[in-house]
Amino acid sequence: MDAHTFLPPGTAPTQAATRPRLAVHRLPMAHPGDLSALAALFDEGAIEPAQVVAVIGKTEGNGGVNDFTRGYFTQTLMSLLAARLGRPAAELLRELPCILSGGTEGVLSPHYVVFARTGRPAADAAAGPGPGALAIGTAVSAPLPAQHVGRWAQVASVAGAVREAMCGAGIARAEDVAFVQVKCPCVTAARAQAAAAAGHTVLTADSGRSMAAARAAGAFGVAIALGELPDDPALEAAMLVDFERFSRRASISSGVEVEANEVIVLGHSAAWEGTLRMACAPMRDALDIGAVAEALRPLGMDAAPQLRPADAARVAAVFVKCEPDRRGRVRGTRHTMLDDTDINAQRHIRGAVGGMVAGVLGDARIFVSGGAEHQGPDGGGLIAVIAHTA
């Protein structure tokens, strides 16, 4: 199977554990509805369907408002899990975050990352020595009305969901959070019309702009939950305006396929066991290859200039946020991404940054998402890496 599956040696997936343990499975897809690699893991007994707690993936759509590859994958995943678990797919949809980013431009390879947990957090679980192992917590907010998208109500909803996910993961301190992935709803023409019929006004009826506003609100929600920004509703005016305000650990996507804020929190907890660790670093611009090295360094890896095969084999998953610099320049030179009528700027930047990161890692299975408003430095973004310890 062309996939990397990390389950610590000597641990059967059905084995009772005193402390919870996270396994990460990076799986290929032949098309946006291909879940055969995950089905094979179920059939082999490598993991059990009930152990799946979250999925993050890259599909080969356009990454825009009308990218239905994300919904196609989600529908197929929920159908697979529903059949294996004997539960309604609609019920699973409200519980299990499935966060997808469309657009696999350039060398980027369609794939999905499955997070599976063995054991369960327990209040009386004995904490191990040291900083602990990689832990995961998830939360799905109540459905977000269209009139709240991009406004402080969404910020508050995301912040609350992040705190809930941290609690579920057993991560008590914000500084122990390594990375937060969020998927937010956007405003479609139909949702805007429904809101208007109910007497509400949406922030914008332009679907593309609403995706940007949703990402901004999601980033502010994460930043507030992690103590990077104060919980002050007056900051609503700063969204999409003051780009000096950002989270260093937030990755936010938006799409038509969700109606609630879906949150995945990854961090380290001494209440968990295992050999997976995670690091995250900000990217100051689209050429910041040094940020890739910075994210790898805490994991004991050095790219000189590319990872050695032995180190590359330790990498379990990679997540990147990036954006075309809105000022039209990268390190003083003009770029044309914002002026291309034929190809959306987000497709340009995903291909460019994806190629750079893939070149360092020697692997094209990278989650690269455009639209990094308030997610890392303006015009840059961030990179996060999960790896097995040596």
Side-chain angles (χ1 to χ4, degrees):
M1 182 181 300
D2 183 20
H4 277 172
T5 298
F6 291 95
L7 189 64
T11 302
T14 56
Q15 179 180 336
T18 304
R19 289 184 283 155
R21 180 185 297 248
L22 180 63
V24 174
H25 309 262
R26 185 165 52 173
L27 307 174
M29 63 172 84
H31 56 77
D34 177 26
L35 273 295
S36 59
L38 179 58
L41 288 181
F42 291 158
D43 293 340
E44 295 164 4
I47 58 172
E48 298 177 358
Q51 294 169 347
V52 176
V53 293
V55 173
I56 301 176
K58 281 296 294 182
T59 58
E60 57 203 87
N62 60 26
V65 176
N66 66 329
D67 183 351
F68 300 111
T69 65
R70 301 180 304 236
Y72 178 27
F73 180 94
T74 301
Q75 182 181 52
T76 308
L77 172 66
M78 298 306 165
S79 295
L80 172 63
L81 291 174
R84 300 289 179 132
L85 295 171
R87 297 180 58 194
E91 187 177 277
L92 294 170
L93 194 63
R94 294 191 295 269
E95 299 176 3
L96 193 149
C98 177
I99 299 179
L100 304 168
S101 171
T104 51
E105 295 79 10
V107 300
L108 294 176
S109 180
H111 70 286
Y112 56 107
V113 178
V114 177
F115 297 89
R117 183 188 64 206
T118 57
R120 293 189 176 276
D124 58 350
L134 188 62
I136 188 171
T138 66
V140 178
S141 75
L144 188 72
Q147 64 270 20
H148 290 169
V149 172
R151 292 182 165 139
W152 199 257
Q154 183 187 354
V155 174
S157 173
V158 171
V162 172
R163 295 185 184 109
E164 179 185 343
M166 288 175 60
C167 182
I171 301 174
R173 304 187 311 167
E175 54 264 41
D176 292 330
V177 172
F179 182 73
V180 181
Q181 179 69 58
V182 181
K183 186 78 179 192
C184 302
C186 67
V187 178
T188 62
R191 290 174 182 175
Q193 292 169 6
H200 302 293
T201 302
V202 297
L203 179 65
T204 175
D206 182 295
S207 297
R209 292 180 180 177
S210 79
M211 291 176 75
R215 291 190 296 262
F220 270 52
V222 173
I224 288 170
L226 300 185
E228 296 172 309
L229 287 177
D231 189 355
D232 182 2
L235 286 178
E236 181 175 330
M239 292 192 296
L240 297 180
V241 175
D242 183 359
F243 291 99
E244 293 301 312
R245 300 179 185 272
F246 60 83
S247 172
R248 298 173 65 91
R249 291 170 284 175
S251 172
I252 319 295
S253 292
S254 177
V256 299
E257 72 275 18
V258 297
E259 296 183 349
N261 297 303
E262 300 184 359
V263 173
I264 300 170
V265 170
L266 291 158
H268 299 96
S269 171
W272 287 59
E273 62 184 9
T275 56
L276 288 174
R277 304 291 185 269
M278 190 172 196
C280 184
M283 298 179 67
R284 64 186 178 96
D285 58 33
L287 302 177
D288 192 3
I289 196 170
V292 186
E294 185 180 344
L296 294 169
R297 195 169 297 116
L299 302 173
M301 291 184 281
D302 181 30
Q306 191 175 80
L307 279 185
R308 295 172 299 174
D311 282 339
R314 291 171 47 205
V315 176
V318 181
F319 308 101
V320 178
K321 285 299 295 189
C322 58
E323 63 178 0
D325 196 301
R326 71 193 78 252
R327 295 157 294 195
R329 291 182 175 273
V330 178
R331 301 195 183 184
T333 59
R334 184 172 71 94
H335 70 77
T336 62
M337 290 183 280
L338 301 174
D339 299 320
D340 191 335
T341 303
D342 300 310
I343 303 175
N344 185 272
Q346 300 296 341
R347 308 202 76 172
H348 275 288
I349 197 67
R350 286 194 297 263
V353 175
M356 178 183 70
V357 177
V360 176
L361 300 177
D363 195 321
R365 295 168 301 168
I366 302 167
F367 178 95
V368 180
S369 174
E373 302 90 350
H374 305 290
Q375 303 151 68
D378 188 21
L382 54 83
I383 175 170
V385 180
I386 298 175
H388 230 30
T389 55

